Amino acid sequence: MFVELKQGAPRRQSPVTPRPFHVAVFPDGTPSTLFFRTPAGYLLRFPDHADFHISLKDAPIVWCLPAPGARKAIVEHLYLNQVLPMLLGKLGNLVFHASAVEIAGEAVGFVGQSRSGKSTLAAGFALKGIPFLTDDALVLEPQGPIYLAIPSHPSVRLCKDSERALMGSGKDVSVSSSLALKTKIAAGGRVAYCDRPRVLRTVYFLGDGADQDISIHHLGAAETLIGWLKHSFILDVEDEALLRDRFTQTATLANRVTCHRLNFPRRFDQLDRALTAIIEHVDAWRAAP
C-alpha cells in the first residue's frame, strides 16, 4: 500500500493537549514515543527528534516535522522503522519486529527484541552472499495458505560493535550514523539484498543470548502466537476492533508457518557457527517429509 510522506520545516515540539493515550519508553524509563489522537488521525512524537502527523482521511499521508537540529539519518530511521510499520499495521497489514533473509529462494525470518541479534544475523548472511530482505520490520502478505515476506528499504542498521566486527574498514559501503549509536549499512557491494517478495519458509524467535551454545527447538502454535503478538507493530493499543482482527490474523499465521526458538551466544567469534547451524537446520527442515 502506498503511503505519501511529506516533509515540513523544522519546528519546535510544543506541548500537546490532551495528554498522550500511550507512551513507549526506553529501557532506562525515558519516553521514546508519545502517541496522540488528532482529528485527522494520529500524532507520533519522538522527543527531540521529530513529530509525525498521520492523516487517515482518504489516502494515508504522513507529515514529518523534524525538531530543530535533529539529524536527518535519525529522522529517516524513525519513519522507516517505526512510523511506517505502525501505520501499515493500522491499515490491516501483518508487520513484526523481525529481519529476514533469502535462503534457497525462500524467506527465513528472525524475530526478537532490539539488540537480540536480528540485524547482526541479517548482515552476517548478506556478507556471505545470502541476501537479506528486511532488517527491522517484516511485512507479511497472505497468499492463500502461504505468506510472502515483503522486502523493505535496502539497508541494515548495526550497533557499533557489530559494524566494526562485521564490516571492518567498510570502505565499499555507504555508512551514516543513526539512532541509538547504530550505523546504517546500505545494500550493494559486499552486502547482498533481495528486492523481490519470497515465500516465508520458517521463522526463528531469538533467545536472550545468555546461552553458551547453539540450540534450536520447535515451538508449538500457542508459543508461536504469543511470540508473534509480542513483536507486532501496533499504532493504537486501544483500538479493540484492530486488536481483535490482529489476533485472528496472527492465530492463522501461527498455525501455518512453523517457528522455532533459536538460542546462540552473542559473541562474534561464534557468529559463523550460528549462521551455519541455521542453514543446516533450514536444509533439514526443507528435506523433511
Side-chain angles (χ1 to χ4, degrees):
M1 178 177 292
F2 176 75
V3 175
E4 184 178 4
L5 173 65
K6 295 186 176 182
Q7 186 83 24
R11 181 182 302 178
R12 185 173 65 88
Q13 293 180 314
S14 302
V16 179
T17 55
R19 298 176 63 182
F21 68 88
H22 178 62
V23 178
V25 298
F26 290 115
D28 65 2
T30 59
S32 64
T33 316
L34 282 66
F35 295 74
F36 301 89
R37 292 190 182 88
T38 67
Y42 296 90
L43 162 63
L44 301 187
R45 168 163 290 179
F46 298 88
D48 302 320
H49 295 300
D51 286 345
F52 292 89
H53 294 264
I54 299 173
S55 173
L56 297 176
K57 294 182 177 180
D58 302 319
I61 299 173
V62 177
W63 280 92
C64 172
L65 300 175
R71 297 173 64 179
K72 180 179 179 181
I74 292 178
V75 175
E76 178 187 57
H77 154 68
L78 292 172
Y79 174 71
L80 292 174
N81 294 294
Q82 296 293 325
V83 177
L84 184 58
M86 285 191 282
L87 176 54
L88 292 176
K90 174 67 176 178
L91 297 174
N93 298 274
L94 286 169
V95 192
F96 302 98
H97 293 273
S99 64
V101 301
E102 180 194 26
I103 298 178
E106 296 178 311
V108 174
F110 304 100
V111 183
Q113 302 283 7
S114 179
R115 300 187 70 91
S116 63
K118 302 186 303 294
S119 298
T120 300
L121 289 174
F125 276 117
L127 289 166
K128 292 183 176 297
I130 298 174
F132 78 94
L133 287 93
T134 185
D135 167 36
D136 199 42
L138 173 61
V139 179
L140 295 179
E141 182 179 304
Q143 295 284 326
I146 65 172
Y147 290 82
L148 294 179
I150 308 302
S152 68
H153 51 94
S155 63
V156 178
R157 294 178 63 251
L158 296 175
C159 294
K160 294 297 184 181
D161 55 350
S162 295
E163 187 265 331
R164 287 193 297 267
L166 294 178
M167 304 306 302
S169 62
K171 296 300 185 181
D172 60 343
V173 296
S174 173
V175 177
S176 62
S177 298
S178 191
L179 192 65
L181 300 179
K182 287 193 172 184
T183 299
K184 185 176 78 171
I185 310 297
R190 296 162 56 199
V191 184
Y193 172 68
C194 175
D195 63 356
R196 302 288 181 88
R198 291 291 183 259
V199 174
L200 184 65
R201 160 60 63 174
T202 190
V203 170
Y204 297 90
F205 285 85
L206 304 183
D208 60 11
D211 301 78
Q212 297 303 307
D213 205 355
I214 299 168
S215 65
I216 300 174
H217 69 266
H218 173 71
L219 293 178
E223 289 178 283
T224 300
L225 173 60
I226 293 170
W228 280 125
L229 291 173
K230 180 180 178 181
H231 296 289
S232 295
F233 277 97
I234 302 293
L235 174 59
D236 191 337
V237 297
E238 297 179 351
D239 187 335
E240 294 183 2
L242 177 65
L243 294 178
R244 285 194 300 269
D245 181 63
R246 176 58 53 84
F247 183 90
T248 300
Q249 288 181 299
T250 307
T252 301
L253 170 66
N255 280 286
R256 288 182 175 173
V257 176
T258 301
C259 296
H260 310 271
R261 173 72 63 189
L262 168 63
N263 296 301
F264 66 99
R266 299 304 192 271
R267 300 202 314 268
F268 295 114
D269 62 349
Q270 296 296 307
L271 180 59
D272 280 349
R273 286 186 62 232
L275 300 180
T276 298
I278 293 166
I279 293 173
E280 291 176 349
H281 188 266
V282 170
D283 288 343
W285 190 253
R286 287 167 54 87

